[in-house]
Structure formats: C-alpha cells, structure tokens
Amino acid sequence: MRHGLSAFVALLVLFCVGPASTSIGQTMTEFNIPTSYGDPYLITLGGDGNLWFTESDGQKIGNVTTSGVFTEFTIPTSGASPQGIILGPDGGLWFTEFNGNKIGRINATGVISEFSVPTSSSLPDQITVGPDGSLWFSEIGINKIGRITTSGGITEFSIPTPNSAPSGITSGPDGNIWFTEWNADKIGRITPSGVFTEFPIPTAGAAPLCIVSGADGNLWFTEYWSNKIGRVTSAGTFNEFAISTTNGFRGPFAIAFGPDGNIWFTEFDGNNIGRMTTAGILTEFSIPTPDSGPVGIASGPDGNIWFAEWSFGNKIGRVNLSSIVPTIALTPANVSLRVGQSTTLTITLSLPESYAVNVTVSSSNPTALSVPATVTIPVGAISASFPVSGLTRGLATVTVLLPISLGGASATSNVRVWPHFP
C-alpha cells in the first residue's frame, strides 16, 4: 500500500521496472535495506551520528551507519505507515504514523513510545522541531497543524484555507513554523501561539511539497507539479527557479541544505538528486537504479548527502560530495617577469560544471603585481587563462579561490617581478 502525498502521486506516475544496482561508481553509493519492500520514505540525522529513516510499508524505523550497517525496529501499532521523522530536543527520534493516527518516539536503543492524535483520521505527515522545544507536525487529513510536547501533550490548530492539504513543515529563521499547502498552492506560517499567515505561490498548480529553512535566512521548498524550486523570505517574497525539462518531468520531492551551502533535493520522477545554488544554478546527478523513487534527503555527519529510495530502489543512497567537489590548480607554479611585462596564468578544475564558475583572484603584493579580481571558467570547461602584469620590483603570491558552493578550494602561484633594465 502507498501512503501520504506519495500515494496521490503514485496514482499519476507510470513506473517501468528495471534491474536494481548497488554500485554507483564514485559519485553515489547505495545500501540495500534488510526488509524487502520496506519502502524507506523520509530520513534525518540522529544524535548518535547515524541516519534514521521511516519504512512506510515495512512498518519500521530504521537506522544506518555511514558505513552502511542497518538496524531496524518494528513499530508496535500494526499498519502505522510511518512518514516524517526528526531528531527531537530530548535526543529521541520523533516520527508520524500516517495510518496509525499517532506520533511516535524512538530512542537510540529502539524503545518506542506512541501518542494518539486527538482528532481521528488526521493523517499526520511531516514533522519538525519548533522554536518552543515542541514537535510540530502537519495533519493532511483534517487540514490542521499539530503540536506535541516532549511529554506527549498535543494541541491542534485549524488552517484558515479549507482543504489546503498541509504536508512539509519546518522551523523558520523568524521563530515561527512554516509549512506547505499542497492543494492551496500556498506557503503557510504559524506562530508558536497559533496565529496563521498564508502566502500564495506565484505559480498556479505548483503543489508545494517539502520545505526547509536555509542557511541564507530564507525558506526553500519543492513545487512538485510545476517542476520548480521555490524560495520565500520571512516577509513572504517569492522567487522560483525552474528545473530543466529537457529530459522530461522531474517531480521535485524532499529538500535539504547541504554542507556545501547548496540546496539538495530529490527528483521522484526524474530519478535524480538535484543540487541548486542559492542563485538558482542547477546540477543533476542520475541514480543508476532505474525508477528508484527518491524521496527523503538529509545531510549526513560525514559531509555527504543521504537519501531514501522509496519505490523500486528500497535502498538508502549516499551522494559522495568529495567526488563531485572540484579541486583547482594554478599553473605555472613559479613565474618570473620584468616590470612592465605581462604573462599568463591558467586555472584548471578537476571537474567541469554545468554553469559558468567565477573564480576569485588576488595578489599578495598588488603594488608589484596586478591581477584581475575574478576569472570566469565557461560552462562545461575545466580551464581559463588570465593575464598578470608586473608593476614594480617585488615578490607576489597569486591566489585563486573557488566559491564556497563548490567547496572553496584554492591554489597559488609565486611570481617574481624583476626591475626593467634598459
């Protein structure tokens, strides 16, 4: 049985079954979960340094170490269909039981407690930690936002827009709770005291799904049907960034901020992991397992991106960032020239990028050596050259620096400027 918003989506998507793969070269690694048809759904980092995830059909909570060792715990309520999961302020992992109509808590040793949601058929979906130290969750079945204390006390708040279908939820940089409204095409905000504000998304039929609070002070969210990534400020100002449709519909699903400062998201229909800079520049990484159905995504303690393959994958995947973050070289390493002369240095990347890369250039002795402030490496290229000019006698170190979004690697070249002789 399929659950949550993914149940609705699955009815509209045609899958083609292909052979499974557990090896993805250097860019990705996949780990098969022990339970067949467990359907790992959403994923989060636990306080123990492991990745914890829900198994929507396996009726379990699982965790996996960064080396790929799994442990699974069966939920007491039969047919609970766990969905969202988050590390709580008390050190436990809190999760929603979509069909069980409960909020669950599991500690690091696997002891599970369950708390019934007061309203029946609430269909609790996703969950987050609020600024008040409580857990906040979306109730897609009854159009409410719920709050549960760490002692199990639950309060529910009705959303002003009827039948809005709240799904994704996160704590915002402004001290409020932010959530998506799948049916209403809105982003909602609720204060800890229960006051709502709703912001309509510019694109009609966007179907906002998951949302995350960004390191840039904004909220970022996926627009499933409009095939976009959205950004909204805490004042309600929107920007939307289209995902390329050259190779078909992508279906952006879950979203997370990576350790590299970029936005990372799953493409449920595109079978990709997407990376977007805060300027809206997109790169996509294909998952070799066909129709893996990537859904949940999270940053791991190892500096990599982890994701759940819910459909025909039934795996936990890892994007190995070290294999896709370019290194940089500057040649020649040592240069001599005379005052009034110029020469050329060359920047070389280890990997091409799908967008133009602006490299910062500096001189340790600008009185002796003039350099440009930036050099642009064209789309798909791995190198670019630039001139340096001797001004006065002296030594200078030229440093080139990649953007933080590409890892911030640097390289240097030493330049000696000699006097000009007649």
Side-chain angles (χ1 to χ4, degrees):
M1 181 180 292
R2 304 300 185 187
H3 309 289
L5 279 181
S6 51
F8 174 74
V9 171
L11 293 174
L12 303 176
V13 179
L14 177 63
F15 295 109
C16 299
V17 179
S21 171
T22 57
S23 176
I24 315 183
Q26 294 183 347
T27 301
M28 293 190 190
T29 306
E30 289 177 300
F31 304 96
N32 292 290
I33 69 171
T35 299
S36 299
Y37 305 107
D39 287 355
Y41 194 66
L42 295 182
I43 186 169
T44 196
L45 176 61
D48 57 355
N50 296 325
L51 283 304
W52 289 73
F53 56 93
T54 53
E55 297 182 35
S56 62
D57 277 349
Q59 315 304 332
K60 296 178 181 179
I61 301 297
N63 72 44
V64 59
T65 68
T66 54
S67 58
V69 178
F70 286 88
T71 306
E72 295 175 296
F73 306 94
T74 299
I75 298 171
T77 297
S78 177
S81 304
Q83 302 277 280
I85 186 168
I86 195 74
L87 176 64
D90 58 349
L93 279 299
W94 290 75
F95 57 94
T96 59
E97 298 183 20
F98 190 81
N99 286 343
N101 203 54
K102 297 177 181 179
I103 303 299
R105 180 191 183 276
I106 183 171
N107 67 16
T109 60
V111 177
I112 294 177
S113 304
E114 296 174 291
F115 306 91
S116 295
V117 177
T119 306
S120 62
S121 303
S122 68
L123 304 182
D125 191 6
Q126 298 186 41
I127 189 167
T128 192
V129 177
D132 58 350
S134 296
L135 290 301
W136 291 73
F137 55 96
S138 56
E139 299 179 68
I140 193 172
I142 57 172
N143 205 51
K144 293 182 180 181
I145 297 298
R147 179 184 67 203
I148 181 171
T149 66
T150 53
S151 59
I154 295 178
T155 308
E156 297 170 291
F157 304 91
S158 295
I159 298 169
T161 299
N163 192 35
S164 69
S167 181
I169 191 166
T170 192
S171 187
D174 58 349
N176 296 311
I177 307 300
W178 291 73
F179 58 94
T180 61
E181 299 182 26
W182 168 272
N183 283 344
D185 290 329
K186 295 178 181 180
I187 299 299
R189 181 182 68 200
I190 180 173
T191 68
S193 61
V195 178
F196 284 93
T197 307
E198 296 173 290
F199 304 96
I201 297 170
T203 300
L209 188 50
C210 294
I211 188 168
V212 68
S213 183
D216 60 349
N218 298 311
L219 288 302
W220 292 78
F221 57 95
T222 53
E223 299 182 22
Y224 186 86
W225 285 127
S226 63
N227 215 46
K228 296 178 181 179
I229 299 298
R231 180 181 67 203
V232 61
T233 68
S234 56
T237 302
F238 286 89
N239 292 96
E240 295 173 290
F241 304 95
I243 299 172
S244 172
T245 57
T246 303
N247 296 316
F249 178 70
R250 294 293 195 256
F253 204 98
I255 189 168
F257 252 79
D260 56 355
N262 292 314
I263 300 104
W264 289 80
F265 56 96
T266 52
E267 297 182 4
F268 185 80
D269 297 83
N271 204 49
N272 296 324
I273 300 299
R275 181 188 70 190
M276 183 172 285
T277 69
T278 53
I281 299 169
L282 173 72
T283 307
E284 296 170 297
F285 304 93
S286 178
I287 302 172
T289 298
D291 302 310
S292 68
V295 280
I297 192 166
S299 291
D302 55 354
N304 294 313
I305 299 296
W306 290 74
F307 58 96
E309 299 180 28
W310 176 77
S311 185
F312 294 112
N314 201 47
K315 301 171 183 178
I316 299 298
R318 182 181 67 204
V319 183
N320 306 313
L321 262 61
S322 61
S323 69
I324 58 176
V325 173
T327 58
I328 189 171
L330 184 61
T331 54
N334 297 284
V335 180
S336 293
L337 72 160
R338 302 215 179 258
V339 172
Q341 288 184 332
S342 296
T343 190
T344 298
L345 300 182
T346 299
I347 303 169
T348 303
L349 298 180
S350 59
L351 297 169
E353 293 295 330
S354 61
Y355 57 92
V357 176
N358 292 319
V359 180
T360 302
V361 184
S362 62
S363 169
S364 65
N365 188 353
T367 302
L369 190 72
S370 173
V371 300
T374 60
V375 174
T376 299
I377 300 177
V379 174
I382 62 169
S383 65
S385 298
F386 63 94
V388 297
S389 300
L391 302 177
T392 61
R393 180 178 181 176
L395 294 173
T397 299
V398 179
T399 301
V400 291
L401 180 67
L402 283 175
I404 294 298
S405 60
L406 285 177
S410 63
T412 60
S413 178
N414 298 312
V415 180
R416 180 183 292 274
V417 182
W418 294 93
H420 175 73
F421 295 108

